[in-house]
Amino acid sequence: APARLKESLAYSAINDPTFGDENAPLKIVEFADFECPYSKDESLIIRELQARYPGKIHFIYRDFPLDDLHPHAFRAAEAAQCANDQNKFWALHDKLYQNAERLTDLDIKLYALEAGLNITEFNKCFDERKYKDEIEIDRADGIAAGVVGTPTFFVNGRKIAGAIPMEVWQQIIARVK
């Protein structure tokens, strides 16, 4: 029973960004950090999976900023959630990872503009820290589910800590009916 509880916490992503069909045979939850170099590398693989396997994957992105190591990751996560309000999460997600070494609030606002967000709405959301609590919930759910670093994945209920090479993802996807 405790294992099922941990799994359900990882998957309780009510307001988190997703892609793919909810009924897809492969359900992937990623806990990630916008300043983590391993999350950055994995973001490119995940975007490729999104393009290659449109009907096979339901993907959920959850925030797990590691504040002690990455001082701007929490604010980047807040920004991405604000972008999600405008259906532009993935555009800003990509910009944030492409520029992970420069994530001051001013930089983030520039990336939001470049990603095509309504900057007035974005700034209001970002400056008011609308998603602070939601990110804390993601992090608490991750901790309860056993996440200690990023990226950490839950693949059809199985926890996999660390980056997963494309070849391994392809093997996982090949096994899913």
Side-chain angles (χ1 to χ4, degrees):
R4 295 302 279 165
L5 175 62
K6 288 181 180 181
E7 176 189 326
S8 68
L9 283 172
Y11 286 91
S12 67
I14 296 166
N15 297 318
D16 292 300
T18 67
F19 69 74
D21 180 356
E22 286 187 25
N23 298 314
L26 187 62
K27 182 170 266 198
I28 302 168
V29 177
E30 179 186 17
F31 285 86
D33 173 316
F34 282 107
E35 279 188 296
C36 170
Y38 305 107
S39 291
K40 177 181 180 176
D41 291 346
E42 202 66 24
S43 74
L44 300 172
I45 292 172
I46 293 299
R47 297 294 271 149
E48 189 172 336
L49 293 176
Q50 180 183 18
R52 277 194 197 182
Y53 303 101
K56 276 202 147 175
I57 298 170
H58 181 241
F59 181 87
I60 301 167
Y61 185 95
R62 300 203 64 193
D63 296 296
F64 199 83
L66 300 167
D67 298 334
D68 293 346
L69 298 171
H70 306 129
H72 302 290
F74 199 99
R75 290 294 281 157
E78 289 179 282
Q81 293 298 328
C82 289
N84 198 40
D85 282 352
Q86 297 182 41
N87 297 315
K88 299 261 185 182
F89 172 83
W90 296 106
L92 190 57
H93 164 278
D94 294 350
K95 287 268 183 200
L96 294 170
Y97 276 122
Q98 289 163 5
N99 297 285
E101 68 288 341
R102 292 184 41 228
L103 292 177
T104 66
D105 283 7
L106 187 59
D107 291 325
I108 289 170
K109 289 180 178 187
L110 175 64
Y111 307 144
L113 192 59
E114 290 173 357
L117 279 91
N118 174 318
I119 202 65
T120 303
E121 288 178 26
F122 174 82
N123 285 342
K124 180 175 175 17
C125 176
F126 186 64
D127 293 341
E128 291 177 359
R129 303 198 71 188
K130 178 179 176 181
Y131 287 101
K132 181 181 184 297
D133 292 343
E134 197 276 329
I135 291 160
E136 292 290 2
I137 290 168
D138 275 5
R139 186 164 39 196
D141 285 353
I143 290 167
V147 176
V148 294
T150 56
T152 296
F153 296 91
F154 289 82
V155 181
N156 282 357
R158 182 174 172 210
K159 184 178 114 182
I160 304 172
I164 302 172
M166 177 56 88
E167 302 77 39
V168 175
W169 277 119
Q170 290 171 324
Q171 291 170 11
I172 291 168
I173 291 167
R175 291 183 190 152
V176 174
K177 305 247 181 225

